[in-house]
Amino acid sequence: MYRALHLVLPRPSGTVRTCVLLALLAATGVAILELVREQTGTSGFFVGLGLALLPVAPLMAAFRWLGRAAPVPWSQLLFCFGWGACTAALIAILANNFATQWIAATTTDASAADHLGSVAIAPVVEESAKAAALLLVFVFRRRHFTGPADGFVVAGFTATGFAFTENILYLGNAFVEDLADRSGALESVTAATFFVRIVLSPFAHPLFTVLTGLGFGVAAVSARRSRRICPPLLGLALAMGMHALWNGSSQFGEHGFYVVYSCVMVPVFGLLVWLAVRIRRNRLRAVEGELALYAAAGWLGPAEVPALASIPARSLARSLARRSGGRAAGRTVARYEADAAALALLRNRARRGGPARERDFAGRERELLHRLWQSRATAGPALARAAVIEELVPPWFDPLDPAAARTDVPGPRRTDHDRGAPDPTRGTHPATAPATNPGTATGTNPDPGLRRSGPWSSATPAGPASIRPCVLPGGDEVR
């Protein structure tokens, strides 16, 4: 059915989709701001706004740190934040108010309606509204949705935006209530609300939505159709269940909130933090392993691979480029780093999933290799220097000196930058360099000491004339 719709209905261009989404975010943003201001008053709105801003930057920095191995474009992250803060929040407020009023009119019990709405209605509506942003990114920006790490980041930014708007509403209403009661600072509802929502549980909404994001992340690397449908639905169901448990914790007795917080929320939060760190580490290892193939073929210098697999070295390389060439050079190095990571993860997914999983592997690989080759003159020296400073290669190693390319230098073999092709006389590190498959000969003499590192053959030699796809094992099918 999905393919049939694609055949019947023309897919809108990227510009049209962008304009529609921006218009939607702008309209819902104006509507949600006015709605929140009406409910809190002008003074309550600005107080709530100021207090709600406090956890936003740390949360965004944390999720951005997780995605640094293969950074998602800022435009996409800001869209997710805006969707959560504007569109999802507006949908949630309108739907929750309507459902609560309908239940109250049906049961004639306002307190029961509020409880049922917070436990049964709000989790379903809010998590579904936030999941819509993940679905849009998953469908229309699949190049930037490559695994669980991207699910973590996209879900985190969406939920952070949603929690930001919700905190404005809660804190603004609490401030208005304190003004009416003339409560002291320590006894105020605002202080209690701030402590619970900003100090104790700023991670609550991100924790719920990350479960959905992990489901989409698993679907992004799955080859089977069932594994692309079931994980997002399972993640969404878990997010709704956790949200309902959190909202209903106050109904479990006088200490129900603290029991749920300490026995459920904190352990799950710790588990997700451990999982995030592990995913990030595995991603960097995949980047290093896959880029070694391209370094062996001459696309990267021998010191670039360890630098690209180290977040501190990447940051240092951008700083060095900015010092010597200004902001333009820093942006060039940043794009080079992002393209290299995208290339490594593309090859990693294709190697694990096969032709059915990455049908556009050849075209995407050519595009990334071409962009890397254009930026290498600026980015290569900065990354090599960063690798030396960070002690990722021996301090005596000079990546610009041909005589420094010795066989005992860790990493892939050196390349001849002047000729644009690898030097077959240089040695390689036996643990990282792959063997050249006879069925995929590229016109160069392979190093007899090289070994295969996976089911894929070696990358083709570097140079604009050699930007062509890799060959599958056996040499019988070009990707």
Side-chain angles (χ1 to χ4, degrees):
M1 181 178 179
Y2 182 76
R3 292 181 180 178
L5 288 176
H6 268 270
L7 293 176
V8 175
L9 299 176
R11 187 171 184 174
S13 65
T15 304
V16 172
R17 292 197 303 268
T18 301
C19 292
V20 170
L21 290 176
L22 289 177
L24 176 63
L25 290 180
T28 54
V30 172
I32 192 64
L33 287 176
E34 181 60 24
L35 183 61
V36 172
R37 192 195 64 80
E38 287 182 359
Q39 295 190 21
T40 62
T42 303
S43 60
F45 172 79
F46 283 107
V47 170
L49 176 64
L51 296 176
L53 276 173
L54 295 178
V56 171
L59 286 172
M60 293 176 69
F63 286 110
R64 184 66 174 171
W65 173 86
L66 172 61
R68 290 303 299 172
V72 178
W74 267 111
S75 58
Q76 184 171 303
L77 297 179
L78 292 178
F79 160 75
C80 292
F81 181 87
W83 180 278
C86 301
T87 308
L90 181 63
I91 293 172
I93 289 177
L94 296 178
N96 289 339
N97 289 342
F98 173 80
T100 302
Q101 293 174 3
W102 181 80
I103 295 172
T106 303
T107 61
T108 66
D109 187 348
S111 62
D114 289 338
H115 172 64
L116 184 60
S118 65
V119 175
I121 305 299
V124 175
V125 172
E126 295 176 9
E127 295 307 322
S128 298
K130 289 182 286 184
L134 278 66
L135 179 62
L136 289 174
V137 174
F138 184 80
V139 172
F140 295 108
R141 289 292 184 269
R142 286 295 295 274
R143 284 186 175 183
H144 304 301
F145 208 126
T146 58
D150 295 321
F152 248 105
V153 176
V154 172
F157 270 75
T158 304
T160 299
F162 184 90
F164 167 66
T165 301
E166 192 177 69
N167 286 337
I168 296 176
L169 183 61
Y170 277 92
L171 291 166
N173 285 332
F175 179 75
V176 172
E177 184 178 344
D178 287 335
L179 287 180
D181 297 340
R182 297 182 179 180
S183 302
L186 297 179
E187 299 175 354
S188 66
V189 180
T190 305
T193 305
F194 180 86
F195 178 74
V196 172
R197 299 189 65 87
I198 306 301
V199 178
L200 277 184
S201 58
F203 58 84
H205 273 289
L207 185 150
F208 307 144
T209 313
V210 157
L211 298 175
T212 307
L214 286 175
F216 277 103
V218 172
V221 297
S222 300
R224 296 183 182 179
R225 181 180 296 273
S226 61
R227 293 182 180 178
R228 294 199 300 267
I229 297 176
C230 294
L233 295 178
L234 178 60
L236 180 60
L238 291 175
M240 293 176 180
M242 285 286 295
H243 198 156
L245 179 64
W246 175 249
N247 286 359
S249 60
S250 60
Q251 306 297 320
F252 299 154
E254 182 179 357
H255 303 290
F257 169 80
Y258 299 102
V259 171
V260 172
Y261 180 83
S262 60
C263 297
V264 179
M265 297 293 290
V266 172
V268 173
F269 175 74
L271 177 63
L272 288 179
V273 169
W274 171 83
L275 182 61
V277 173
R278 183 179 179 86
I279 289 174
R280 184 178 187 268
R281 185 184 299 117
N282 290 341
R283 237 185 181 194
L284 289 173
R285 289 175 179 172
V287 168
E288 184 174 19
E290 300 296 341
L291 289 183
L293 299 169
Y294 294 99
W299 290 103
L300 304 172
E304 291 181 46
V305 174
L308 289 168
S310 169
I311 299 301
R314 290 193 199 177
S315 178
L316 179 59
R318 295 193 298 271
S319 178
L320 293 173
R322 283 192 296 268
R323 292 177 189 175
S324 60
R327 293 183 178 180
R331 288 193 294 268
T332 299
V333 175
R335 287 193 298 268
Y336 186 89
E337 293 169 351
D339 289 339
L343 176 65
L345 296 178
L346 173 73
R347 186 182 181 93
N348 185 260
R349 292 194 310 275
R351 182 167 53 82
R352 291 185 301 169
R357 189 66 195 93
E358 292 291 339
R359 294 184 176 87
D360 193 33
F361 171 77
R364 180 64 174 156
E365 184 194 42
R366 279 196 300 269
E367 175 188 348
L368 291 170
L369 287 173
H370 182 68
R371 280 156 49 177
L372 288 175
W373 191 259
Q374 288 182 320
S375 304
R376 187 180 176 188
T378 300
L383 285 165
R385 181 60 179 162
V388 173
I389 295 175
E390 291 290 327
E391 299 182 351
L392 302 176
V393 294
W396 48 260
F397 176 67
D398 182 2
L400 302 180
D401 181 9
R406 292 164 43 180
T407 57
D408 55 346
V409 176
R413 64 184 167 189
R414 283 204 38 89
T415 60
D416 189 340
H417 296 284
D418 297 330
R419 296 188 309 172
D423 185 351
T425 64
R426 301 299 183 187
T428 63
H429 190 269
T432 57
T436 302
N437 191 338
T440 61
T442 57
T444 61
N445 296 326
D447 191 327
L450 301 181
R451 295 192 304 172
R452 293 282 297 277
S453 63
W456 288 82
S457 62
S458 301
T460 54
S466 298
I467 299 179
R468 60 177 183 266
C470 297
V471 183
L472 289 172
D476 57 349
E477 183 178 357
V478 178
R479 297 293 301 276

